[in-house]
């Protein structure tokens, strides 16, 4: 199963982060609009990512819900009928909820730097160090930590869990979007 080391952090200064990501990647990034629909499963997470252009991906992943760099194992399958698959999976499993975001992707070495604007939550940064076949988790964590420094991300800005968790937490605390 493929894996990556990933971190997620809240963004307080979007202009600074975007400027640093552009410098480090040597590009203006790629804008991707996504709607993720999460489904009820007993362990891990299952989501259908709809790219809003007729393409989608069914993604299963497992990772600990904690702050800082963490190993994530995942499986991905592409689809040309994301809405049809959402309907079938909703009927079969039930939905947990949906996350809508506009993501700008920057590639820095083997790391996917995502600058995300999430509906109902705000701005976030996610790093995914895509692990090479024989690379250790420790190497991935070291790359993530260095990139955090390079981007100016502080440890106190790190968050745990998924955007879906944050949306549910906001809803429970009466901060519905």
């Amino acid at each position: 199963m493929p894996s990556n080391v990933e971190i997620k952090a809240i963004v307080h200064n979007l202009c600074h982060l975007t400027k640093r990501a552009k410098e480090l990647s040597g590009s203006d990034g790629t804008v991707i609009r996504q709607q993720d629909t999460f489904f009820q499963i007993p362990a891990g997470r299952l989501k259908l990512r709809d790219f809003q252009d007729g393409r989608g991906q069914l993604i299963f992943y497992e990772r600990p819900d904690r702050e800082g760099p963490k190993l994530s194992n995942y499986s991905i399958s592409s689809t040309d009928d994301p809405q049809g698959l959402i309907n079938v999976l909703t009927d079969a499993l039930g939905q947990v909820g949906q996350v809508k975001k506009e993501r700008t992707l920057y590639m820095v070495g083997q790391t996917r730097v995502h600058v995300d604007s999430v509906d109902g939550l705000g701005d976030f940064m996610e790093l995914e160090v895509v692990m090479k076949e024989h690379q250790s988790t420790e190497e991935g964590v070291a790359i993530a930590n260095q990139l955090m420094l390079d981007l100016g991300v502080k440890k106190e800005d790190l968050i745990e869990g998924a955007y879906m968790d944050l949306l549910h937490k906001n809803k429970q605390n009466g901060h519905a979007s």
Side-chain angles (χ1 to χ4, degrees):
M1 187 179 283
S3 64
N4 60 40
V5 169
E6 115 181 17
I7 66 153
K8 194 173 297 195
I10 192 160
V11 172
H12 298 290
N13 187 335
L14 185 61
C15 290
H16 174 73
L17 179 74
T18 301
K19 179 178 182 261
R20 290 296 296 142
K22 285 180 180 182
E23 290 169 356
L24 293 167
S25 69
S27 79
D28 288 333
T30 303
V31 176
I32 307 165
R33 286 172 186 75
Q34 301 174 342
Q35 178 173 299
D36 292 344
T37 303
F38 287 81
F39 302 96
Q40 295 175 9
I41 60 172
R45 296 178 195 267
L46 181 67
K47 67 183 173 185
L48 192 292
R49 174 162 288 159
D50 186 341
F51 292 108
Q52 312 290 291
D53 64 359
R55 297 175 308 117
Q57 294 176 325
L58 184 62
I59 304 168
F60 170 76
Y61 65 99
E62 297 175 295
R63 72 163 184 251
D65 286 332
R66 60 179 167 78
E67 294 177 358
K70 53 202 156 273
L71 186 67
S72 177
N73 296 305
Y74 60 91
S75 300
I76 298 176
S77 178
S78 296
T79 180
D80 290 330
D81 183 16
Q83 193 54 57
L85 197 49
I86 287 170
N87 293 342
V88 170
L89 290 168
T90 298
D91 289 347
L93 302 172
Q95 267 189 38
V96 173
Q98 292 185 326
V99 175
K100 293 179 183 177
K101 64 183 173 270
E102 182 173 287
R103 166 170 282 177
T104 305
L105 166 65
Y106 303 92
M107 289 301 302
V108 179
Q110 72 190 77
T111 305
R112 298 170 59 90
V113 178
H114 301 142
V115 179
D116 294 337
S117 178
V118 183
D119 286 7
L121 288 179
D123 297 321
F124 295 84
M125 184 274 321
E126 186 178 87
L127 299 179
E128 291 180 354
V129 181
V130 181
M131 301 301 290
K132 297 177 180 170
E133 192 172 331
H134 296 293
Q135 201 168 24
S136 71
T137 302
E138 292 76 19
E139 287 176 86
V141 168
I143 292 168
N145 282 329
Q146 183 59 55
L147 202 45
M148 277 177 51
L149 285 174
D150 293 343
L151 290 166
V153 176
K154 298 180 176 89
K155 288 192 182 209
E156 56 266 23
D157 294 333
L158 296 178
I159 59 171
E160 61 184 51
Y163 296 137
M164 189 78 262
D165 300 330
L166 294 175
L167 285 167
H168 280 159
K169 197 179 292 184
N170 278 357
K171 195 172 185 179
Q172 289 171 349
N173 293 334
H175 300 108
S177 49

